[in-house]
Amino acid sequence: MSLNKQYQTYQNNAVNTASGGELTLMLYNGCMKFIKQAIKDLENKNYEAKNTNIQKAQNIIQELMLTLDQKVEISKQILPLYEFMQFQLREGNIKNDPSFLIEALEFITEFRDTWKEVMLKNKKAQPVQGAQV
């Protein structure tokens, strides 16, 4: 089995066995990766790759928007921020202006960091499960 195939199998297993919280964290990390790459693509004047990476980031934000439970008040506050990030990515793509992408990256990084903190606190709050003697 090739190294690339092994890595792909590992990635598939990581996604298939991840909790909902871990999947959300993966989405945030992926979005950050694609925005950073789009910024590099823009610097290198690789507009086709920039467009592809921005579209990938937009797709992730769209997925995050779809998973919001609108019955929960915080979701109603988060949705406009996701919409703003989508707007920034679109403007950065159309205008080839990295400042829009950087602002979207700052927002998604803040979301990721906050999500990571919440996951850590929830993990600490859960009782430790282990073998009982």
Side-chain angles (χ1 to χ4, degrees):
M1 187 183 284
S2 73
L3 189 58
N4 191 29
K5 180 78 171 159
Q6 290 173 342
Y7 178 74
Q8 188 63 42
T9 301
Y10 169 79
Q11 286 292 335
N12 288 339
N13 287 338
V15 169
N16 291 333
T17 59
S19 69
E22 291 166 331
L23 288 172
T24 300
L25 188 62
M26 287 178 191
L27 287 172
Y28 285 136
N29 285 332
C31 189
M32 290 169 57
K33 177 183 91 170
F34 292 127
I35 295 171
K36 287 177 183 177
Q37 186 57 53
I39 293 168
K40 287 180 186 175
D41 294 334
L42 190 55
E43 290 169 356
N44 295 327
K45 298 188 184 335
N46 187 345
Y47 300 113
E48 186 176 339
K50 174 225 34 162
N51 181 55
T52 299
N53 283 305
I54 288 174
Q55 287 178 354
K56 288 178 180 181
Q58 288 174 315
N59 288 341
I60 290 173
I61 293 172
Q62 185 65 37
E63 184 64 29
L64 290 166
M65 291 168 77
L66 291 172
T67 61
L68 288 175
D69 182 354
Q70 290 302 310
K71 296 175 192 153
V72 179
E73 186 58 37
I74 189 94
S75 294
K76 294 175 186 170
Q77 297 168 10
I78 291 173
L79 183 60
L81 296 172
Y82 284 156
E83 289 171 341
F84 176 73
M85 285 185 260
Q86 289 282 45
F87 174 81
Q88 293 299 99
L89 291 172
R90 187 171 43 252
E91 290 297 299
N93 201 6
I94 292 168
K95 297 178 179 176
N96 289 323
D97 184 342
S99 66
F100 290 100
L101 304 179
I102 291 167
E103 190 164 5
L105 179 60
E106 289 170 354
F107 269 89
I108 203 73
T109 301
E110 186 69 31
F111 270 81
R112 192 276 315 263
D113 292 348
T114 301
W115 189 257
K116 209 171 178 179
E117 186 70 27
V118 168
M119 286 180 60
L120 189 63
K121 286 182 180 180
N122 284 341
K123 192 172 189 174
K124 287 181 181 178
Q126 292 176 349
V128 176
Q129 304 248 341
Q132 294 184 0
V133 182

